[in-house]
Amino acid sequence: MGKVFVVLVGMLLPLKAHSHPHAWIELTTVLEFNAAGQAIGLRVGWLFDEVYSLYTLDGQSQSVEVVTALGRETLDNLESYQYFTHVKQGDKAVSFHRVTDYASQFKGARWHLEFLVPFQTPLAVEADDLSYQVFDPTYYVSILHGEGTIDQGTSTCQYQISAPTPSADMQDRAENLDAFTSAPASLGHHFAETVRLSCPS
Amino acid sequence: MPLLIKKVSAVMLFSFLPMTAHAASGDLWGQAVGYIYTQQQMFHQDLANALRLVQELGPSAAWGLISVSFLYGIFHAAGPGHGKAIIATYVASHERYLKRAIGLSFASAFMQGVTAIALVSIVVGVIGWSRREAQGLVPYLEQISFAFVAVIGAVLMMRVVKGVWKSRPMQAAHEGHHSHDHTQGHHHHTHDHEHGHEHHHDHDHDDMTCHTCGHSHAPDPRAMAESMSWKDRMAIVLSIGIRPCSGSVLVFIFAHIIGLPVAGMGAVMAISLGTAITVSALAALAIYMRQTADHVVAKTSGVMAQRMGLILSFTGGAVILFLGVSLFLQARMTVHPLF
């Protein structure tokens, strides 16, 4: 009964104007390293749901020109949002360059956008102090890793995804002492997965 | 006196419960919302599939589409949203009849659906803009909606203030007539009307003070609420309904693109029905809480009951004003990069 009450009361919360997710992205992420073994950026892949994919095409054909332009336009729009990507080394936020390396194509009825978020300076990843999150702060779009969506490639680093349960989130905050303060405290943050890296040296 | 303080704080707590509950139980709340979002995503995907099926199999697949849309509506409305917050606040502070609360929920939900259909049909079909441009109009409609909500909150607060002002002890009751003819004009008419039909549920019959106040011009907040409630409800339906549900807009655009606008309309109406049912459940809960509070208050003296009613009406207006203003300010800053 108490639970039901809390749920009902929780439903009253207006939170953000754009709260419920209206689009869903299946996320893939992997770090890219240079020859010296430094991380140079995070390669992010977004597989959009069918409704959004069709919506964003807006009746245009799936031609290479159209789909490439769509990718460019979307990434330009996302630039001031840090591409919804937040990377931390220790408790320091990592800043990015503008995205130039991207691929935009349709996989059947679903749009796939992949891009490299380049770090301002290459990072020496030696300990387990690197972590990242990809989320829409307004939670208008849900962005989550699917099954087996981190391909470690040749890297020796282990990726560990923490599910976005609020309790895990609390733990996370306790452990990291406000690790992601640069991100707006928001609903989207509440439902973000956290990926932690541990690289044996 | 301590009793009065206790009662006042109970009413205040009741009014602000939505705000405090989050802080107190973020964990459970987060899990519940997480569950609702997961369900919603499933239904959203099912919805796309159901539309595809209608495309392949024709009208025989329509029932699948309608039922999935209906379930999507139920779960979509179960997430956080401002429409529900406003209806629940209004109902808790100004409404006493379940039937009307449910009517309010249904009218708002259906107007949202109709707005979604009209927006896409007119802007894309008649004016010939792109579908993206149609979606781009949604934030403007939201802005109008939020501003409207804020105005409603302010009006509800002003009404209480005016009522109290008019009933200052030194003021002859009838002097209020000229300056407030809108309120007063409807006051007599509506109140008398309701009295015959619905007032028999009232707890106040054996309460001398309040029994008389309906006939004098003392600020019985209930009589005032009754008299204004038809206009209030119209205003609330308009303020919420003018903002189309974004999910419905997306689904209708999707249906349009795959060449099934009629199926899309059916889906949007079914979503509205599902939404209406969820919001009605919440409104019913608010009515129930209100009736419980009324019951407690009715046991106290009539003056006390009046004061509690005034505080509740004023607080309800304040919460609605706050919701409208904060949503308005938030929305101004929000331009989504993917839409």
Side-chain angles (χ1 to χ4, degrees):
Chain A
M1 188 57 209
K3 282 191 181 188
V4 172
F5 180 73
V6 168
V7 171
L8 286 169
V9 169
M11 278 156 52
L12 292 175
L13 290 167
L15 293 162
K16 282 272 177 181
H18 298 295
S19 43
H20 344 264
H22 286 99
W24 286 266
I25 291 174
E26 197 177 308
L27 175 68
T28 55
T29 51
V30 70
L31 279 169
E32 289 215 348
F33 295 89
N34 62 16
Q38 297 166 306
I40 55 162
L42 185 68
R43 189 166 289 279
V44 176
W46 287 352
L47 186 60
F48 290 87
D49 71 83
E50 192 186 345
V51 174
Y52 180 83
S53 302
L54 202 66
Y55 159 80
T56 199
L57 263 186
D58 207 359
Q60 297 169 282
S61 70
Q62 294 182 7
S63 69
V64 176
E65 298 78 43
V66 167
V67 177
T68 306
L70 193 59
R72 183 67 266 162
E73 191 191 320
T74 302
L75 288 167
D76 286 345
N77 290 342
L78 282 163
E79 192 180 352
S80 52
Y81 294 83
Q82 295 190 82
Y83 308 99
F84 289 167
T85 303
H86 305 270
V87 180
K88 287 271 180 183
Q89 186 163 40
D91 54 6
K92 251 182 66 194
V94 174
S95 38
F96 311 135
H97 285 301
R98 184 170 178 268
V99 168
T100 52
D101 174 0
Y102 71 98
S104 173
Q105 56 182 310
F106 264 76
K107 293 187 170 174
R110 298 175 72 181
W111 180 32
H112 188 249
L113 178 64
E114 194 184 275
F115 51 93
L116 178 72
V117 181
F119 302 153
Q120 202 105 56
T121 48
L123 303 174
V125 186
E126 278 150 6
D128 52 354
D129 63 348
L130 200 74
S131 59
Y132 58 85
Q133 292 182 315
V134 180
F135 65 92
D136 170 7
T138 64
Y139 205 45
Y140 202 71
V141 180
S142 155
I143 307 174
L144 293 174
H145 284 93
E147 293 273 317
T149 41
I150 294 183
D151 177 10
Q152 292 188 209
T154 54
S155 161
T156 54
C157 296
Q158 295 289 320
Y159 293 77
Q160 196 204 337
I161 304 179
S162 309
T165 65
S167 41
D169 186 56
M170 303 273 181
Q171 247 173 354
D172 177 299
R173 254 185 256 172
E175 281 166 18
N176 288 285
L177 290 172
D178 253 359
F180 289 94
T181 39
S182 70
S186 65
L187 187 65
H189 182 210
H190 206 70
F191 289 97
E193 288 171 333
T194 306
V195 180
R196 236 173 280 285
L197 217 66
S198 58
C199 303
S201 44
Chain B
M1 213 42 182
L3 187 68
L4 174 69
I5 292 165
K6 225 163 140 185
K7 290 270 163 59
V8 170
S9 50
V11 172
M12 299 293 274
L13 179 68
F14 170 61
S15 309
F16 285 109
L17 209 53
M19 316 293 168
T20 50
H22 182 203
S25 58
D27 204 24
L28 185 56
W29 174 82
Q31 283 171 19
V33 173
Y35 170 77
I36 287 165
Y37 283 152
T38 313
Q39 294 300 312
Q40 215 177 289
Q41 176 177 9
M42 275 168 46
F43 287 125
H44 189 84
Q45 189 52 52
D46 288 349
L47 210 60
N49 295 339
L51 274 163
R52 289 282 190 209
L53 267 182
V54 174
Q55 195 181 25
E56 284 165 27
L57 304 175
S60 60
W63 276 113
L65 173 66
I66 300 293
S67 49
V68 171
S69 306
F70 173 69
L71 292 173
Y72 173 76
I74 286 184
F75 275 90
H76 189 71
H82 84 288
K84 280 183 305 299
I86 288 148
I87 288 181
T89 308
Y90 177 77
V91 162
S93 60
H94 288 78
E95 190 55 84
R96 298 155 73 214
Y97 302 110
L98 184 61
K99 238 190 275 177
R100 283 196 214 160
I102 290 174
L104 189 64
S105 310
F106 268 76
S108 303
F110 275 94
M111 188 176 159
Q112 281 195 316
V114 169
T115 307
I117 292 171
L119 174 73
V120 178
S121 303
I122 294 171
V123 172
V124 179
V126 180
I127 306 179
W129 283 8
S130 72
R131 294 166 182 103
R132 191 179 280 275
E133 283 170 315
Q135 174 79 22
L137 281 178
V138 173
Y140 293 100
L141 293 174
E142 282 179 344
Q143 286 289 76
I144 296 169
S145 165
F146 300 151
F148 201 169
V149 167
V151 169
I152 290 172
V155 168
L156 293 177
M157 288 170 77
M158 276 309 293
R159 200 183 290 160
V160 176
V161 172
K162 273 186 184 176
V164 172
W165 179 255
K166 268 193 306 177
S167 69
R168 281 171 306 161
M170 299 314 287
Q171 190 98 353
H174 285 273
E175 270 180 39
H177 256 297
H178 299 287
S179 45
H180 303 288
D181 41 302
H182 285 300
T183 320
Q184 296 295 338
H186 288 278
H187 175 94
H188 290 293
H189 175 75
T190 319
H191 181 70
D192 290 342
H193 177 76
E194 304 288 9
H195 211 295
H197 293 98
E198 288 169 300
H199 228 236
H200 56 271
H201 299 297
D202 205 348
H203 316 288
D204 303 328
H205 273 295
D206 41 9
D207 182 328
M208 286 312 289
T209 319
C210 226
H211 193 65
T212 49
C213 74
H215 302 287
S216 73
H217 291 272
D220 175 10
R222 291 173 179 177
M224 284 165 49
E226 302 271 313
S227 71
M228 297 307 289
S229 89
W230 188 80
K231 277 189 194 168
D232 283 2
R233 281 177 282 154
M234 282 288 287
I236 285 170
V237 168
L238 277 174
S239 73
I240 294 170
I242 198 172
R243 172 184 166 269
C245 159
S246 310
S248 298
V249 172
L250 279 179
V251 166
F252 193 57
I253 287 176
F254 183 87
H256 239 266
I257 292 173
I258 64 173
L260 296 169
V262 176
M265 279 183 208
V268 170
M269 286 335 279
I271 290 172
S272 296
L273 181 64
T275 304
I277 287 173
T278 302
V279 177
S280 292
L282 196 68
L285 182 81
I287 283 278
Y288 171 73
M289 288 167 83
R290 171 67 194 266
Q291 282 174 350
T292 310
D294 272 356
H295 206 71
V296 172
V297 170
K299 286 180 184 150
T300 64
S301 78
V303 176
M304 177 89 84
Q306 272 187 49
R307 277 188 196 148
M308 301 307 285
L310 284 173
I311 290 168
L312 190 59
S313 299
F314 188 80
T315 312
V319 170
I320 291 173
L321 175 64
F322 170 79
L323 287 175
V325 169
S326 62
L327 287 165
F328 185 84
L329 294 177
Q330 262 178 17
R332 280 161 67 95
M333 298 181 287
T334 315
V335 178
H336 201 283
L338 293 180
F339 281 86

